[in-house]
Amino acid sequence: MSEFSTGDGAPPERGYPQVGPGHPQAGGHSSDADVSRETDATRPATGIPVRTAADIAVAAPDFPGTDLGGDHSTPLARAAEHVVLARHGARMRPPLERPGATRVFVVANQKGGVGKTTSTVNVAAALAQLGQRVLVVDLDPQGNASTALGVEHRRGAPSTYDALVDGVPLADVASPSPEVDTLMVVPATIDLAGAEIELVSVVAREGRLRKAIHGHPLVGSAEDVGEDRFDYVLIDCPPSLGLLTLNALVAGNEMMIPIQAEYYALEGLGQLLETVEMVKAHLNPSLDVSTILVTMYDARTRLAAGVADEVREHFGDQVLKTTIPRSVRVSEAPSYGQTVMTYDPGSPGALSYLEAAREIAIKGAPA
Ligand SMILES: Nc1ncnc2c1ncn2[C@@H]1O[C@H](COP(=O)(O)OP(=O)(O)OP(=O)(O)O)[C@@H](O)[C@H]1O
Ligand SMILES: [Mg+2]
């Protein structure tokens, strides 16, 4: 863990180069048209098994039992098929097996802007489109996840704050997202910004969210809570390691860490992992860093491949094979109060999130 720099000293030397126009920090967003033009010829030859949006479009599975046979031969045809399937939801897909008990994911990385919220809402919507029952808990006072999921989060609206600070049952502050059936959201209002301070004097302050989530009548195993149970709870954390994130780490069984494929991607991760170890040792032994997701991956740059390479070296199987491409459609969706899964279901970003969700579901909960 300590191999990751936690300080803000001199930039470490890395084995991958800064690159020109496609560099994520160069400011230019590549368009989806750019992304879908990616070919193996333009991809850096690192030998790393990274699955990009272009691979996903080419390798999209067939869907038996649908009348969408026809021409599967081109990426375009496959993408079109995904659009239809996404619109018609899980009914047309081979069913994805539900976990035997609710899997509670903490989506955290104290680094800002790495794709925590984007990954939370899109993985959640994708899982719901795949027939799973999903609850998103917005734990960031910015309320970005609530916005993307189209749920009211003006000051005073029932929210995570009420559950955390006043002990209101989570079921009373959750609302359905208009995005996908079977997707519920506990929104965050700006009031949550005060919770970090208000909770300091509260007894068992780091266990409040755990109590709220595990006290929900639909969180638990098939035997205990039945068929209406949530299959997944995803908690979107703020970019800090304060009391809110600590509450999430104590509440979750699994952790998903989004890592942006850019220079300095691993900076600060050491501190996050040290916090996780501390939580495991003292507060929540069952916490498992099960999922690392590389986001904003630009397949045309050696930089992105280098970062993915390094992430995989450190985390091995925890890293999902699917990477999320940098795509303007992904970043546009929240301004329409949508996830990319409904805003543009056939886009490379949506297909990648669908694939990432499928990978998470198929991998299953850690033993
Ligand atoms: N795959 C992507 N392609 C293009 N833009 C993206 C992608 N993923 C995220 N973004 C954009 O990057 C910015 C940061 O993403 P996001 O808000 O998900 O990060 P975050 O880690 O939740 O940030 P914060 O730390 O502030 O909570 C947003 O403007 C988002 O739209
Ligand atoms: Mg966020």
Side-chain angles (χ1 to χ4, degrees):
M1 308 299 130
S2 53
E3 59 265 48
F4 296 133
S5 164
T6 57
D8 34 8
E13 288 186 11
R14 299 220 186 278
Y16 42 87
Q18 299 263 13
V19 290
H23 189 289
Q25 292 179 330
H29 280 232
S30 53
S31 71
D32 282 346
D34 291 339
V35 172
S36 52
R37 275 203 306 270
E38 291 158 7
T39 64
D40 283 338
T42 59
R43 201 174 301 155
T46 59
I48 303 300
V50 170
R51 200 182 323 163
T52 66
D55 297 327
I56 289 164
V58 173
D62 290 335
F63 292 94
T66 72
D67 56 1
L68 294 163
D71 179 11
H72 290 70
S73 56
T74 65
L76 203 60
R78 289 181 187 282
E81 183 179 291
H82 268 283
V83 175
V84 176
L85 287 166
R87 294 222 170 103
H88 293 300
R91 287 186 304 280
M92 297 180 70
R93 289 202 182 82
L96 196 62
E97 211 174 306
R98 300 175 64 188
T102 311
R103 294 174 67 182
V104 182
F105 273 87
V106 184
V107 185
N109 185 339
Q110 85 275 30
K111 199 172 157 100
V114 297
K116 291 182 287 296
T117 301
T118 306
S119 299
T120 303
V121 301
N122 288 301
V123 167
L127 284 167
Q129 286 182 339
L130 290 166
Q132 308 291 298
R133 294 167 175 273
V134 185
L135 174 69
V136 168
V137 177
D138 192 347
L139 196 59
D140 186 342
Q142 298 177 99
N144 295 338
S146 312
T147 304
L149 294 171
V151 171
E152 175 66 69
H153 65 107
R154 269 180 306 185
R155 187 164 220 159
S159 71
T160 315
Y161 176 90
D162 305 311
L164 267 185
V165 177
D166 296 329
V168 175
L170 211 57
D172 294 354
V173 290
S175 355
S177 166
E179 276 295 275
V180 195
D181 291 345
T182 74
L183 176 56
M184 300 283 292
V185 186
V186 181
T189 62
I190 192 68
D191 303 304
L192 194 57
E196 290 265 10
I197 295 161
E198 288 173 53
L199 285 178
V200 165
S201 56
V202 171
V203 182
R205 58 187 181 230
E206 66 285 330
R208 307 279 295 184
L209 187 62
R210 182 178 186 86
K211 203 168 158 214
I213 290 178
H214 291 269
H216 192 295
L218 296 179
V219 170
S221 65
E223 304 83 69
D224 294 341
V225 296
E227 288 308 297
D228 289 344
R229 71 187 179 279
F230 284 116
D231 298 305
Y232 294 87
V233 175
L234 283 88
I235 308 167
D236 183 32
C237 291
S240 70
L241 289 177
L243 200 43
L244 288 172
T245 299
L246 185 61
N247 259 272
L249 294 174
V250 172
N253 316 114
E254 296 180 58
M255 204 174 163
M256 173 158 82
I257 307 180
I259 294 182
Q260 185 178 352
E262 59 143 38
Y263 207 64
Y264 299 136
L266 301 179
E267 294 297 298
L269 263 189
Q271 197 186 353
L272 177 64
L273 295 173
E274 276 165 26
T275 306
V276 171
E277 287 308 314
M278 186 276 289
V279 170
K280 279 172 83 160
H282 302 289
L283 299 164
N284 180 14
S286 66
L287 184 64
D288 190 286
V289 182
S290 63
T291 310
I292 309 281
L293 177 60
V294 177
T295 63
M296 297 182 240
Y297 184 87
D298 188 338
R300 297 163 307 173
T301 68
R302 288 208 284 161
L303 172 77
V307 172
D309 209 344
E310 192 170 355
V311 169
R312 215 165 289 273
E313 237 168 64
H314 281 291
F315 293 100
D317 287 349
Q318 291 153 292
V319 188
L320 294 185
K321 291 190 185 70
T322 308
T323 55
I324 307 302
R326 182 175 279 280
S327 144
V328 278
R329 306 304 265 172
V330 171
S331 55
E332 275 170 11
S335 54
Y336 296 89
Q338 279 180 270
T339 65
V340 78
M341 303 312 299
T342 60
Y343 175 64
D344 192 351
S347 65
L351 297 182
S352 301
Y353 271 117
L354 194 66
E355 212 46 42
R358 196 185 289 277
E359 227 188 292
I360 289 168
I362 289 169
K363 251 174 107 176

